């Protein structure tokens, strides 16, 4: 089980309280699809992803970004058992969606960049970045857990 | 050799010109030491770098952050030959400093985060893609003399 200091719990919940999933979720998923274009292979039914403008204007990308980001909420609420909380999601990503688990880390990086760009250095301090990165690493690890 | 479009070259230059090395250098190294604490092992001569507060106040960390970011200037000025530009630095990090090359990627990530904090919405997805391509070329060059 992951050990969290009080400062880390506080950092994660402070950041989460200020995050609008409808705003940052679409941004993070768009960045993933633009910066790491091979990830588009997982979204074959989403319509036009052929240019940056298409991705940024695609309503299915926006909706799905919001869904993914909102999913982080379960981890924030269950920081002491993220592994169990995400077991079904992990199984789904492995068996049904066939997502390379490396992509969880990559999406985490895109989320962090969105958070940095949104809040700037006075909120996303090095201390907050440490807690947030650790949190996303635990989430990525939990999502990769049911793969074999 | 890495290929750059004119737009990518101008994006990297624009991002670099909006960075104040004296401001971002210290912030970047502080982030590396705080977010990835095992990197403290490389800075044994820096005094107290074992708590967040100590790291944020340590003058040697700040000074060395500036040194590191200044070296990035060489890559911006020599985008068509980053590998040769960094050959000596790569050898130094391998033979003398014995730095695990994985850490170059971590440093690059912290640079991107600091730049995103500074540029905010200007660090749009396309700018992010170009900047990360540039830093990947730098990381590859820093790894090139390792074997």
């Amino acid at each position: 089980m992951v050990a969290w200091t009080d400062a880390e719990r506080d950092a994660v919940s402070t950041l989460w309280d200020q995050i609008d999933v409808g705003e940052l979720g679409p941004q993070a998923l768009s960045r993933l699809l633009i910066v790491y274009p091979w990830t588009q292979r997982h979204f074959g039914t989403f319509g036009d992803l052929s240019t940056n403008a298409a991705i940024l204007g695609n309503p299915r990308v926006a909706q799905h970004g919001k869904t993914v980001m909102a999913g982080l909420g379960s981890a924030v609420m269950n920081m002491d058992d993220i592994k169990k909380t995400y077991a079904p999601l992990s199984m789904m990503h492995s068996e049904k969606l066939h997502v390379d688990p490396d992509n969880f880390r990559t999406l985490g990086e895109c989320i962090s960049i969105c958070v940095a760009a949104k809040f700037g250095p006075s909120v996303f301090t090095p201390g907050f970045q440490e807690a947030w990165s650790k949190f996303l690493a635990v989430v990525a690890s939990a999502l990769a857990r049911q793969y074999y | 050799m890495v290929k750059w479009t004119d737009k990518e070259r101008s994006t990297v230059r624009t991002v670099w010109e909006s960075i104040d090395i004296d401001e971002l250098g210290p912030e970047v190294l502080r982030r590396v030491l705080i977010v990835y604490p095992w990197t403290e092992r490389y800075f044994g001569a820096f005094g107290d770098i074992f708590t967040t507060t100590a790291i944020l106040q340590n003058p040697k960390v700040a000074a060395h952050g500036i040194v590191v970011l200044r070296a990035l200037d060489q890559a911006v000025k020599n985008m068509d030959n980053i590998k040769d530009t960094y050959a000596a630095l790569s050898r130094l990090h391998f033979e003398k400093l014995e730095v695990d090359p994985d850490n170059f990627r971590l440093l690059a990530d912290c640079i991107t985060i600091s730049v995103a904090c500074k540029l905010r919405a200007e660090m749009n997805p396309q700018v992010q893609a170009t900047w990360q391509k540039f830093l990947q070329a730098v990381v590859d060059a820093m790894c090139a003399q390792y074997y």
Side-chain angles (χ1 to χ4, degrees), chain B residues 108-120:
Chain B
D109 285 351
C110 287
I111 292 173
T112 301
I113 293 272
S114 285
V115 170
C117 278
K118 175 84 187 175
L119 295 187
R120 312 296 280 265

Side-chain angles (χ1 to χ4, degrees), chain B residues 1-139:
Chain B
M1 200 186 87
V2 183
K3 287 198 181 66
W4 304 101
T5 63
D6 287 341
K7 182 132 202 291
E8 285 171 333
R9 290 176 196 277
S10 108
T11 298
V12 170
R13 253 191 325 265
T14 303
V15 169
W16 189 244
E17 273 155 25
S18 54
I19 289 172
D20 176 355
I21 292 178
D22 291 335
E23 176 194 11
L24 232 73
E27 186 189 315
V28 166
L29 190 55
R30 287 167 188 152
R31 287 187 188 275
V32 172
L33 293 168
I34 289 168
V35 180
Y36 309 108
W38 56 87
T39 55
E40 287 160 11
R41 73 190 310 287
Y42 296 113
F43 302 102
F46 277 21
D48 187 1
I49 48 171
F50 306 113
T51 62
T52 298
T53 314
I55 290 167
L56 291 172
Q57 292 168 355
N58 187 305
K60 286 187 168 170
V61 169
H64 195 66
I66 294 173
V67 166
V68 168
L69 261 207
R70 239 180 231 144
L72 204 53
D73 190 55
Q74 292 305 303
V76 176
K77 294 198 160 74
N78 293 280
M79 279 174 73
D80 288 312
N81 206 353
I82 299 178
K83 213 193 282 191
D84 278 352
T85 304
Y86 277 168
L89 254 183
S90 173
R91 234 177 342 256
L92 172 78
H93 281 72
F94 172 52
E95 290 177 7
K96 184 154 170 276
L97 304 175
E98 293 175 332
V99 172
D100 183 333
D102 230 18
N103 292 308
F104 302 142
R105 184 178 61 78
L106 301 182
L107 174 65
D109 285 351
C110 287
I111 292 173
T112 301
I113 293 272
S114 285
V115 170
C117 278
K118 175 84 187 175
L119 295 187
R120 312 296 280 265
E122 275 168 48
M123 176 65 119
N124 62 47
Q126 190 51 60
V127 170
Q128 179 192 337
T130 302
W131 182 249
Q132 290 193 233
K133 175 179 171 178
F134 170 68
L135 287 184
Q136 186 60 52
V138 169
V139 167

Side-chain angles (χ1 to χ4, degrees), chain A:
Chain A
M1 198 187 89
V2 182
W4 301 100
T5 64
D6 287 342
E8 286 169 339
R9 289 178 196 275
D10 177 67
V12 171
S13 64
T14 301
L15 282 172
W16 187 249
D17 282 343
Q18 298 178 62
I19 285 172
D20 175 353
V21 306
E23 177 193 13
L24 250 63
Q27 281 176 20
L29 187 58
S30 307
R31 282 179 192 271
L32 182 74
L33 296 167
I34 289 169
V35 180
Y36 308 99
W38 55 87
T39 56
Q40 291 168 26
R41 74 187 311 284
H42 295 296
F43 302 100
T45 58
F46 274 30
D48 187 6
L49 300 178
S50 57
T51 62
N52 289 2
I55 291 169
L56 290 166
N58 188 309
R60 298 193 62 181
V61 171
Q63 184 53 47
H64 195 67
K66 192 170 163 193
T67 302
V68 168
M69 197 74 184
L72 264 188
S74 323
V76 176
M77 298 301 148
N78 294 282
M79 277 175 75
D80 287 314
D81 206 350
I82 296 179
K83 211 193 290 183
K84 208 188 315 176
T85 305
Y86 276 173
L89 255 183
S90 176
M91 220 125 49
M92 179 177 86
H93 281 74
S94 156
E95 291 177 11
K96 186 157 167 273
L97 303 175
H98 302 299
V99 173
D100 182 335
D102 223 19
N103 291 311
F104 304 141
R105 185 183 60 77
T106 311
L107 178 60
E109 279 175 24
C110 289
I111 291 172
S112 292
I113 288 175
C114 289
V115 168
K118 169 87 186 171
F119 295 121
S122 56
V123 171
F124 202 56
T125 60
F128 267 37
Q129 182 190 342
E130 185 275 328
W132 186 249
S133 296
K134 177 175 167 177
F135 171 70
L136 288 181
V138 171
V139 166
S141 165
L143 278 172
R145 195 71 175 46
Q146 303 297 327
Y147 282 65
Y148 48 78

